[in-house]
């Protein structure tokens, strides 16, 4: 589904990434080695990719559709995937701390970002959230993102060109905390997102940029930042809410059970699990060992990332 949505990003067919076409020389692709090992690679006809699975010639990739399984000189294989916002978030260069999928999906839903929206963002950072905003507003909306750091803004601009979404995003260099958003957006923004060390300084400007009933979100790692922001949000905003998104992942494995050693569920042959009564059809001659699927929480589950504070511009507020 994500592949289909991202293919609608650009209206210019000469530059858009379409997953209905084949890979071409110069394309940016995601090379999938395993679930925790992926990398972004620019396809160059005379280049190779070398990893633990062998040597892969880029020339063998050209002409294949996205999602293809390709083999190395040693018989190892990788998958060639398109750079969706989800995959790009996992492989992009971390110039700053980024938002991940759990926070991103929540932000887009609560900010009510849909095709045609005008979204203002500060700061751009590594561009993880910006990329997802672009897909959400496509094909007729636009994202204006600002960062005070000139080099960081330039790097983000290059990334958006590489992933083919630059026509939906305008990157500006501006200190939003000190200067506020440009006056040209006064009363035009559907949504505003703030990822700033002192978001309360930018909230009055963000409020002026929003349409009546527009939505704002501020991301902050510390609860003290949230408290101060909420004090400012009481003027001109309503429906103020703060969330912390904690994602718990599970690992699924197949275990070999030796039923001859199971004793009233107290066997050490496998992790604790609920006992399951044998089916009436089971026969005495069944194998003594059989595979059992077990699930347990991941030992490397990501914890706190930050707090998301949402607010809606009051209908009766006048600048």
């Amino acid at each position: 589904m994500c592949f289909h949505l991202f293919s609608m990003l650009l209206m210019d067919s000469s530059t858009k990434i379409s997953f209905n076409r084949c890979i071409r020389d110069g394309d940016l692709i995601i090379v999938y080695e395993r679930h925790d090992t992926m990398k972004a690679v620019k396809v160059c006809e005379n280049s190779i990719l070398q990893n633990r699975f062998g040597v892969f010639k880029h020339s063998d990739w050209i002409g294949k559709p996205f999602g293809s399984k390709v083999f190395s000189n040693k018989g190892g294989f990788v998958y060639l995937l398109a750079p969706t916002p989800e995959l790009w978030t996992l492989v992009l260069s971390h110039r700053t701390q980024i938002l991940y999928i759990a926070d991103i999906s929540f932000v887009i839903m609560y900010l009510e970002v849909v095709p045609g929206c005008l979204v203002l963002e500060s700061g751009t950072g590594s561009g993880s959230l910006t990329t997802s905003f672009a897909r959400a507003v496509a094909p007729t909306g636009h994202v204006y993102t600002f960062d005070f750091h000139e080099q960081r803004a330039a790097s983000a601009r290059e990334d958006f060109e590489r992933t083919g979404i630059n026509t939906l995003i305008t990157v500006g260099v501006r200190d939003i905390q000190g200067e506020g958003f440009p006056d040209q957006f006064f009363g035009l923004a559907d949504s505003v997102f703030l990822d700033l060390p002192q978001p309360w300084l930018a909230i009055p400007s963000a409020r002026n940029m929003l349409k009546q009933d527009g939505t704002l979100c501020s991301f902050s790692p510390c609860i003290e930042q949230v408290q101060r922001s909420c004090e400012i949000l009481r003027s001109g905003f309503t429906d103020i809410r703060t969330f912390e998104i904690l994602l718990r992942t599970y690992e699924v494995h197949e275990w070999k059970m030796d039923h001859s050693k199971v004793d009233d569920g107290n066997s050490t042959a496998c992790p604790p699990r609920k006992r399951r009564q044998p089916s009436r059809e089971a026969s005495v001659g069944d194998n003594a060992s059989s595979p059992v699927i077990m699930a347990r929480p991941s030992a490397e589950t990501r914890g706190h990332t930050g707090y998301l504070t949402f607010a809606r511009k009051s209908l009766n507020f006048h600048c």
Side-chain angles (χ1 to χ4, degrees):
M1 180 178 179
C2 61
F3 283 4
H4 173 70
L5 290 173
F6 196 64
S7 66
M8 301 190 307
L9 270 177
L10 301 180
M11 292 179 286
D12 182 358
S13 60
S14 66
T15 58
K16 76 176 181 179
I17 294 179
S18 171
F19 306 136
N20 295 321
R21 66 166 175 81
C22 294
I23 295 170
R24 298 185 295 214
D25 188 22
D27 279 347
L28 179 75
I29 64 173
I30 306 298
V31 176
Y32 179 102
E33 297 180 5
R34 45 175 289 169
H35 75 279
D36 58 353
T37 308
M38 292 179 284
K39 62 188 67 171
V41 176
K42 183 176 181 180
V43 178
C44 299
E45 187 171 2
N46 298 321
S47 298
I48 63 170
L49 170 70
Q50 187 168 355
N51 59 23
R52 57 182 174 173
F53 301 113
V55 176
F56 299 84
K57 295 181 179 180
H58 287 204
S59 57
D60 294 338
W61 301 352
I62 297 173
K64 294 185 181 297
F66 287 106
S68 294
K69 180 179 181 179
V70 294
F71 293 87
S72 70
N73 61 330
K74 295 182 178 179
F77 63 86
V78 296
Y79 292 94
L80 309 179
L81 306 180
T84 67
E86 290 81 7
L87 294 180
W88 184 246
T89 290
L90 298 177
V91 302
L92 59 76
S93 299
H94 288 200
R95 295 178 288 273
T96 61
Q97 178 62 39
I98 70 169
L99 267 70
Y100 286 95
I101 294 171
D103 287 322
I104 290 173
S105 57
F106 201 84
V107 166
I108 289 177
M109 186 191 78
Y110 261 81
L111 282 183
E112 302 172 1
V113 180
V114 297
C117 280
L118 189 156
V119 177
L120 300 181
E121 178 192 29
S122 181
T124 309
S126 299
S128 171
L129 177 61
T130 318
T131 302
S132 291
F133 274 147
R135 181 179 66 183
V137 303
T140 56
H142 204 86
V143 180
Y144 294 89
T145 181
F146 300 91
D147 202 292
F148 77 93
H149 193 283
E150 189 169 350
Q151 183 54 52
R152 210 152 54 204
S155 298
R157 194 179 293 113
E158 292 174 4
D159 282 347
F160 300 146
E161 291 175 357
R162 292 171 65 199
T163 51
I165 58 174
N166 52 299
T167 61
L168 291 166
I169 302 172
T170 299
V171 182
V173 179
R174 188 178 178 94
D175 178 11
I176 299 299
Q177 286 187 171
E179 304 175 59
F181 288 98
D183 291 339
Q184 70 189 80
F185 301 112
F186 187 93
L188 297 178
D190 296 283
S191 303
V192 174
F193 180 83
L194 303 176
D195 184 357
L196 301 169
Q198 296 177 295
W200 53 89
L201 297 179
I203 288 174
S205 173
R207 181 182 57 211
N208 293 338
M209 300 304 113
L210 284 169
K211 296 177 180 178
Q212 292 297 321
D213 203 38
T215 51
L216 176 144
C217 176
S218 176
F219 175 86
S220 297
C222 302
I223 196 64
E224 292 81 7
Q225 295 168 302
V226 174
Q227 292 171 331
R228 192 159 179 183
S229 296
C230 287
E231 292 175 2
I232 305 299
L233 286 170
R234 289 174 183 163
S235 174
F237 286 91
T238 185
D239 196 21
I240 302 170
R241 306 183 188 188
T242 297
F243 301 89
E244 180 184 22
I245 312 302
L246 299 177
L247 182 66
R248 189 177 191 184
T249 58
Y250 278 75
E251 298 173 349
V252 180
H253 298 283
E254 183 179 280
W255 294 76
K256 280 289 187 180
M257 290 285 296
D258 188 347
H259 296 294
S260 64
K261 297 180 180 180
V262 176
D263 181 18
D264 294 330
N266 296 319
S267 171
T268 58
C270 67
R273 66 184 181 91
K274 290 184 178 181
R275 297 185 64 189
R276 182 174 60 187
Q277 295 296 330
S279 64
R280 296 180 179 178
E281 291 78 12
S283 62
V284 178
D286 285 345
N287 294 332
S289 63
S290 61
V292 176
I293 302 300
M294 306 293 293
R296 63 181 180 183
S298 172
E300 299 181 359
T301 299
R302 184 177 289 108
H304 172 79
T305 56
Y307 300 101
L308 295 170
T309 299
F310 295 88
R312 185 179 299 276
K313 184 175 179 178
S314 299
L315 289 172
N316 58 357
F317 181 82
H318 300 285
C319 301

